[in-house]
Amino acid sequence: MLPRRDFLALGAATAAMALLPGRAFAAIPTGVKVHGLSAFGDLKYKPDFAHFDYVNVDAPQGGTFNFSPPNWGQNQSPLTFNTLNSFVPKGDAPQRMEMCFDSLMVRALDEPDAMYGLIADGVTISDDRNGFTFSLRPQARFHDGTPLTADDVAFTFKLLKDKGHPDYSLSLTHLDDAVAKDAHTVELIFSGKQSARTILNVVGFPVLSKAFFTANPFDSSQLNPPLGSSAYKVGRWSAGTWIEYERVADYWGNDLPVNRGQNNFQRIRIEFYQDRTAAFEAFKKGEILYREEFTSRVWAKQYDFPAFTAGKVVKHEFPAETVPSMQATAVNQRRPQFQDPRVRRAIALCFDFEWTRRNFFYGSYERSQSCFEKSDFRAEGTPSPEELALLEPLREKLPPEVLGEAVTQPASDGSGRDRKQLGKAAKLLAEAGWKRSGDFVVNDKGGRLPAEFLVEDETFVQVYSPWVANMKAIGIDASIRLVDSAQYQLRQSTFDFDLISAAFSFSATPTRDDLEIFFHSRSASVSGSRNLPGTSSPAIDMLIDAVGAAKDRESLTVAMRALDRALRARRDWIPSWYLANHRSAYWDMFGFPGQKPDFGFPVEALWWIDKGKAAKIGKA
């Protein structure tokens, strides 16, 4: 954090950043129970709404949906699992364990940040706007029939704050207390130091059973399915191989407006494969029914198998969500050789996206430039006056490029070895004190500059090999290390790598908590955080505070663009590529709503089995 004198010296930026928690949700009255929350008070659905507009309330229920989830969070892995506790920093949990647990409120996928009551039927905000009192539905139950009470909620938030995965614990840093007022009333009390929109994250956290986790350890040794409360529960499973989630017939929340038209499959099955080829072969055989295709070569060349040519399998591109996303390579500044930004820039110049796009991606990906791609938060051109009000006082704490044109990754000549760009990279290394000695550059002690990519998939060995070859050409001791999923997860969570690539999506209305886990000094040393490069900058911290302080969407956009400029100028992350759409492939046996929501795409929750289609392709 900045010393107090530096904070006061921020001058005009201080006023732009300042927003006390007392002004959070200013459009929502205090002392009155409300049915929903949103960052700026804009709620589409009224208290008596029947269901979300993007669902089919008449969708039939039943059948098995065996799919390959395209995304995951916390300690989950797409390749294996060795724990059923998805809420702790360590271990590999199966994807979609979150489907088994209800939360106080749930997000509407056709609004950027609105939350509506699930376990809670409403919330009352205190006069100082630091306290949130939730009225719990008395019918809420765990899967064993026991009541879900305020004691469980209070227990959960204290547990996640103390021992939970950083995705949870960092948002709860300023939670002072969680108090069960009675069996159906719980109050969350914050210190006043929290982000104005912290509560939007917190109300979506899973509520756990106090009885279960009092009797069982809250750690990664847990292969006993935790007691849940939601539409699905863990059914059969084989550790590391497959898991099934069974729909709960007497689920207490079936008829709530936030659930109607959703959770239509009787069984959701996920199988785990160590490589993409095996997963694709399973899809071709109909053992997997839905997948998103992330390998351009496969999408372009390998959908020629019998089921596809017979029309049983469909390829379809659905529009991507209108949320900021980042796919990039983190350069780990916990390693001394990467602390000079000139070295990070030199590494970036060795990546020939144009050659990679032509030879590996079949022209399907676009070059990413921003940490918040595909959104209005992507900085363009020179800073606006409003952005300058935030950036100018931080001039001495940020790279000089931040006040000019937004930093972009230059286009190469597409040859695979652009001599001009490699020459610039070599010059940057020399300026940073790395001198050529034979095949390598060395520092003043004669030590080489190692740069090892950590990957868990053979596909990335192929994609990154030309990048590594270019780094070697300018004297970097570059290499690729392919490891198994368990080792990859462990090394990522403990920051034991040089270079590592990742893809993330942010909320359409990012909160300070969303951003802290990726970019804030506080998360740089927290194992399991998403701050993979080890970004630690008081100026970045202040810009994240500005995002958290935004009083409306306009000021939020200004703060996010300023943050984007600063992150891009620091070059902690090397932006890589992105897709404009979801490349979906599925066996033609499903129904789905005609209009995809703008802020989410949970196929497993919104789709259903169309028995007529299934019969036509022999899947009835």
Side-chain angles (χ1 to χ4, degrees), residues 81 84 94 96-97 99-101 143 223-226 228 232-237 243-248:
F81 68 95
L84 293 177
R96 298 301 185 265
M97 276 297 295
M99 294 191 309
C100 301
F101 301 87
H143 292 149
L223 271 171
N224 177 24
Y232 289 93
K233 64 181 179 180
V234 174
R236 302 183 306 151
W237 53 273
I243 188 169
E244 292 180 348
Y245 300 102
E246 294 283 348
R247 196 173 192 279
V248 178

Side-chain angles (χ1 to χ4, degrees), residues 73-75 87-90 164-171 173 326 330 332 334 488-497 500-504 506 512-536 573:
Q74 292 79 54
N75 66 345
F87 314 115
V88 292
K90 296 182 179 180
H165 190 279
D167 284 359
Y168 302 117
S169 62
L170 288 175
S171 288
T173 298
M326 176 176 71
N332 189 0
R334 301 171 188 85
Y488 184 88
Q489 184 91 337
L490 176 62
R491 290 186 61 174
Q492 176 179 283
S493 65
T494 58
F495 311 121
D496 182 16
F497 56 83
I500 195 170
S501 295
F504 302 103
F506 299 91
R512 189 177 75 188
D513 307 291
D514 294 335
L515 301 171
E516 279 188 354
I517 196 170
F518 288 89
F519 309 118
H520 198 281
S521 302
R522 189 159 61 90
S523 63
S525 59
V526 177
S527 294
S529 82
R530 311 301 180 188
N531 191 344
L532 302 179
T535 301
S536 183
W573 294 87

Side-chain angles (χ1 to χ4, degrees), residues 121-139:
D121 63 9
V123 56
T124 304
I125 305 174
S126 66
D127 289 341
D128 64 4
R129 298 185 183 267
N130 291 325
F132 299 83
T133 300
F134 296 89
S135 171
L136 308 188
R137 300 183 195 272
Q139 68 267 38

Side-chain angles (χ1 to χ4, degrees), residues 358-401:
R358 185 176 69 251
N359 288 276
F360 285 113
F361 298 158
Y362 294 85
S364 60
Y365 283 93
E366 302 298 328
R367 182 66 193 264
S368 179
Q369 298 288 357
S370 169
C371 294
F372 310 114
E373 202 61 71
K374 298 189 293 186
S375 76
D376 291 339
F377 305 140
R378 171 177 163 155
E380 301 279 0
T382 56
S384 67
E386 294 79 11
E387 291 171 60
L388 284 173
L390 295 175
L391 294 169
E392 184 65 43
L394 304 175
R395 176 191 290 268
E396 301 303 318
K397 298 177 175 63
L398 288 168
E401 301 99 309

Side-chain angles (χ1 to χ4, degrees), residues 397-414:
K397 298 177 175 63
L398 288 168
E401 301 99 309
V402 77
L403 297 177
E405 292 279 338
V407 169
T408 58
Q409 306 300 312
S412 73
D413 62 11

